[in-house]
Amino acid sequence: MCAGAMPEPLPPSDRDPSIRLRIVFGADAMLGPGKADLLRHIAATGSIAAAGRRMAMSYKRAWGLVAELNAAFDPPLVVSVRGGATGGGARLTPAGAEVLQLYRALEALMADQGGAEIARLHEMLADMSGRK
């Protein structure tokens, strides 16, 4: 290859690029794909424990992340009811549903508006198939 020439593009890969957005709100608060997925699973299952199980996450870890989310946002994003004769459960508050919707909208916006840049970055990836 002569000096200044562009390298040949890599053949298509089965590694499709995806957006994994992490929003850092200073030192004490962050919202990323894991917490967003946890919110989605809580909404779907009505349970923090079940949401954690769907994510192969311990009950303690799931509760810890919910506590972080509730401390970071005002009003809280998840409310829970202790078990008992009527059973317990959890649900997203209206703020929780809105935070999840806004996060997903930002992911979609980045994927849509950054599509050309993402494609170019993907083209520039090194072929790692023979390396670890």
Side-chain angles (χ1 to χ4, degrees):
M1 180 183 334
C2 55
M6 293 297 293
E8 292 284 329
L10 293 174
S13 165
D14 61 355
R15 297 179 298 163
D16 291 332
S18 62
I19 297 292
R20 304 274 303 169
L21 176 64
R22 177 168 288 140
I23 306 168
V24 179
F25 301 100
D28 297 327
M30 184 200 43
L31 180 61
K35 288 177 180 174
D37 287 347
L38 183 61
L39 290 174
R40 177 174 57 90
H41 288 303
I42 290 168
T45 64
S47 165
I48 294 170
R53 282 192 300 274
R54 283 192 176 184
M55 297 177 68
M57 179 185 300
S58 74
Y59 177 75
K60 182 177 179 180
R61 177 75 175 137
W63 267 98
L65 291 174
V66 167
E68 286 177 21
L69 286 165
N70 281 345
F73 288 90
D74 187 29
L77 305 186
V78 177
V79 293
S80 61
V81 177
R82 285 185 171 267
T86 59
R91 65 174 174 77
L92 299 188
T93 64
E98 183 178 10
V99 164
L100 181 57
Q101 183 275 323
L102 290 168
Y103 179 84
R104 295 300 187 208
L106 280 169
E107 282 182 323
L109 180 68
M110 288 185 63
D112 181 54
Q113 297 296 310
E117 292 81 0
I118 293 167
R120 181 64 185 132
L121 289 168
H122 190 242
E123 290 170 3
M124 295 173 69
L125 287 176
D127 180 7
M128 298 294 287
S129 59
R131 295 183 269 167
K132 298 201 182 217

